[in-house]
Amino acid sequence: MRRFFVSCLVGLSIVGAAQAQPQPRNVVLFIADGLRDGMVNAANAPAMDGLMKAGVRFTNTHSLFPTFTMPNATAMATGHMLGDTGQFGNTIYTAFPVPGAGESLTPFLESDPVLGDVDAHFAGNYLNEETILRAAHAQGLSTASIGKLGPSLIFDHTARSGQDSILVDDSTGRPSGIPLSDDLRTRLDAAGLPLQAPTRGANGLAGTADSPGTLAANVEQQGYFTDVATKAVLPLFKARGKPFVLVYWSRDPDGTQHNQGDSLGRLVPGINGPTSLAAIRNADANLAALLGALKALGLAETTDVIVTSDHGFSTISKESGTSFAASQAYKGVPKGQLPPGFLAIDLAHDLGLGLFDPDARGIRLRADAFPSRATA
C-alpha cells in the first residue's frame, strides 16, 4: 500500500505540472559602474537597499579586474574569464592600426566604432565567445542593452544593425552609433523622446591639476536612458508578449567619481564628497524608475532584477618617493606627482629604451612629455 500511495503522489505531481506550465521569466541586469558595496544603504541608495533586503544578497562577490570596466563587462556579458576573452584592460594591444581609434595599435575600447573595427579584424568576434544577449536573442527572447558607451555594446557587440538587440548609449543618434530599429523609433516618437542621446554636459568636466572637475552627477544623460527603458523599451517588450533580457549600465557613480571636483589636490573628502554621493543617488533613482515601470506594466512578478557593480573605486594619491617619473617635470603636473603614463615612463627609463605614444601615430616622446591617453 505504501508503494502504491507514493506512486499515486508522483503521478499527481506529474499531471499537475503538465497542467500548470511555469510562466517564462524576464531578466533585468542593472550595473552601477564603480559602486562600492559599502555605500549601499537606506540613506545613499534606498531602492538598492530595499531590493537587497527583500531579495538575495551575494556577500562575497569580486570583480575580475579591480579597476577597469571593460574586462568585467566582458565577464558579465559572456560568463567567461579574462583568459578566454583576452580582455585584460579598457585598452588592449591589437597589433593592427584601428581606424576608429586614429590608427592606434592600443585602442581604448569604450567606443562603438572601435569595437566594430576590432571585431571585423578578428573574424567578426574579438572575444571569441558568445554573449548572453546573443544567446537569448537566438532563443527568441527580446533583448536590449542601454547605458554607458562601451560596456553596453559588449553584451551583443557582433550584431550592429539594431534589428536584433536594442542598443542605446552615448552614441545613439550619431553617425558613430548603432542604428535604432523602426519599432523603437516609433515608440520613442510616441513617448516624445528624441532619437539622439544627450551628452554628459557638465558631468563630463574632468578638471585639471589646477582647476576642479564636475560638481554635477550624470543626471540628464541617464535620465534619457531611463526614459528610453521605461517609456519605450519595456512597453515594446510587453507588447511582443515574449520573455526578455534588459541590461542597464549606469555610468554613475563611476563617471562622476572620476571627474568629481569636491577635493582638488586633497584626498578628503575625495569620492565620499557630495558630488559622488549625488551620483550614487542618481543611479539609485534610475533603478527605482525601472522597478516602478515593471510594476506599472504588470511585469514585476515575472521579472528577476539583478543589481551589481563592475568594480570598486578609491581616492588615490599621485605622489611617489621612488618613481623616476615623479622626479621629472611635466606640463600640467604638480612637482613631485606622478604624470599620466608614469609606469611606461619608469619602465622605459629603467630598461634604457625609448618611449613612444601609440595614440599619436607612434611618435617618440621627449623627456618632458608623457603618452597622450595614458592613465597609470
Side-chain angles (χ1 to χ4, degrees):
M1 289 296 294
R2 181 176 299 170
R3 181 178 300 169
F4 175 74
F5 182 66
V6 171
S7 297
C8 286
L9 288 177
V10 172
L12 287 172
S13 67
I14 292 173
V15 172
Q19 291 176 340
Q21 293 294 326
Q23 192 168 0
R25 306 289 298 180
N26 311 307
V27 175
V28 171
L29 174 60
F30 185 96
I31 303 101
D33 202 310
L35 177 67
R36 295 159 287 156
D37 67 327
M39 299 302 288
V40 177
N41 54 51
N44 295 336
M48 295 181 196
D49 183 67
L51 198 64
M52 179 178 65
K53 290 175 178 175
V56 177
R57 183 183 184 187
F58 295 93
T59 58
N60 196 30
T61 57
H62 302 278
S63 60
L64 295 188
F65 201 114
T67 57
F68 286 144
T69 289
M70 292 298 277
N72 296 307
T74 59
M76 294 180 200
T78 68
H80 283 264
M81 302 286 279
L82 307 186
D84 293 337
T85 64
Q87 183 81 58
F88 288 98
N90 291 338
T91 298
I92 62 173
Y93 177 65
T94 58
F96 80 98
V98 179
E103 308 299 320
S104 174
L105 302 178
T106 57
F108 184 64
L109 290 169
E110 290 184 14
S111 161
D112 294 346
V114 169
L115 288 172
D117 291 339
V118 176
D119 273 336
H121 185 81
F122 292 105
N125 183 355
Y126 85 102
L127 296 176
N128 201 33
E129 301 292 351
E130 184 179 47
T131 66
I132 59 173
L133 291 195
R134 186 93 305 258
H137 178 79
Q139 294 299 315
L141 280 71
S142 293
T143 52
S145 187
I146 300 171
K148 180 181 177 180
L149 181 67
S152 292
L153 180 56
I154 279 294
F155 281 85
D156 200 359
H157 60 102
T158 60
R160 301 177 62 86
S161 69
Q163 303 303 311
D164 294 350
S165 289
I166 290 171
L167 187 281
V168 178
D169 63 13
D170 304 49
S171 294
T172 293
R174 296 175 173 83
S176 60
I178 303 300
L180 297 172
S181 68
D182 291 338
D183 283 349
L184 184 58
R185 283 175 172 267
T186 299
R187 292 279 175 170
L188 292 173
D189 286 338
L193 294 172
L195 302 182
Q196 184 178 97
T199 67
R200 293 172 64 185
N203 181 255
L205 178 64
T208 67
D210 301 313
S211 60
T214 189
L215 298 176
N218 192 30
V219 174
E220 181 183 2
Q221 187 184 69
Q222 289 187 203
Y224 172 78
F225 292 150
T226 303
D227 284 344
V228 169
T230 59
K231 298 177 182 179
V233 175
L234 286 176
L236 173 61
F237 285 176
K238 181 179 180 179
R240 289 178 179 174
K242 300 189 297 183
F244 63 81
V245 181
L246 169 66
V247 177
Y248 186 102
W249 197 292
S250 169
R251 184 186 294 275
D252 266 344
D254 181 83
T256 301
Q257 290 171 161
H258 273 291
N259 289 355
Q260 61 85 17
D262 291 335
S263 53
L264 178 63
R266 295 179 290 116
L267 295 178
V268 178
I271 55 167
N272 293 318
T275 304
S276 297
L277 292 178
I280 295 173
R281 288 191 292 271
N282 185 39
D284 191 70
N286 298 155
L287 174 63
L290 287 169
L291 296 175
L294 291 170
K295 184 176 181 179
L297 291 166
L299 298 170
E301 296 302 316
T302 56
T303 302
D304 297 317
V305 178
I306 303 168
V307 178
T308 188
S309 176
D310 54 340
H311 59 74
F313 211 100
S314 65
T315 307
I316 62 170
S317 167
K318 292 191 174 183
E319 298 174 350
S320 173
T322 58
S323 167
F324 166 78
S327 68
Q328 304 302 295
Y330 303 91
K331 183 180 180 180
V333 178
K335 184 178 180 180
Q337 290 194 9
L338 295 166
F342 69 87
L343 180 57
I345 294 171
D346 285 355
L347 287 172
H349 174 264
D350 291 348
L351 295 174
L353 299 175
L355 184 63
F356 302 85
D357 190 340
D359 294 298
R361 300 188 180 274
I363 63 169
R364 183 164 184 154
L365 295 173
R366 305 185 311 271
D368 62 347
F370 51 81
S372 57
R373 295 203 62 177
T375 51

